[in-house]
Amino acid sequence: MSDTQLTVTLSGGDADDARAVVRALEGAFGTPDQSPSDEGATVRVATFTGEGREDSPHADAGRLSAPVTVTVQGAPEAVRRASDTLTRAFTARDEGTVSGDQEQERQLLLEP
């Protein structure tokens, strides 16, 4: 698979919720280059670059303590795989997609 670049922005919930979302994505994208920031942040960011995984095992990411809004941005294939991964791991509602020339952005609401 070609190189993957994905930016994940999280709001709502706490740092443990952000870590749960990142854990869910690690099965498909590997270890993030940048992990969500500390406890005091209201918006957290994780970035994944490098080789994506074709067949991602379903990891138990854990439960969320509160609703989390997740925006995934990157190549259309990476955004699709991230969305699929998150909807398998959590109860998710698609909040919309925006497409550009070479990138796509999708927003999901993940619920506990």
Side-chain angles (χ1 to χ4, degrees):
M1 172 162 286
S2 62
D3 282 349
T4 301
Q5 184 165 358
L6 183 75
T7 301
V8 182
T9 306
L10 307 108
S11 61
D14 59 19
D16 287 336
D17 293 326
R19 286 190 281 272
V21 172
V22 169
R23 253 192 324 274
L25 292 170
E26 284 177 341
F29 296 98
T31 305
D33 296 321
Q34 176 185 348
S35 293
S37 56
D38 65 348
E39 299 290 331
T42 57
V43 175
R44 296 170 175 89
V45 176
T47 57
F48 297 87
T49 58
E51 194 69 20
R53 299 178 185 170
E54 281 288 345
D55 51 345
S56 58
H58 176 66
D60 181 17
R63 300 203 60 156
L64 299 175
S65 67
V68 177
T69 299
V70 178
T71 303
V72 290
Q73 180 181 13
E77 176 62 19
V79 170
R80 183 196 61 76
R81 287 187 317 125
S83 297
D84 290 350
T85 299
L86 292 173
T87 57
R88 282 193 311 267
F90 303 102
T91 301
R93 185 171 67 213
D94 191 340
E95 298 284 296
T97 303
V98 177
S99 295
D101 280 347
Q102 298 175 13
E103 287 195 341
Q104 190 175 65
E105 180 177 295
R106 173 169 281 153
Q107 188 170 50
L108 300 168
L109 176 63
L110 306 181
E111 298 175 340

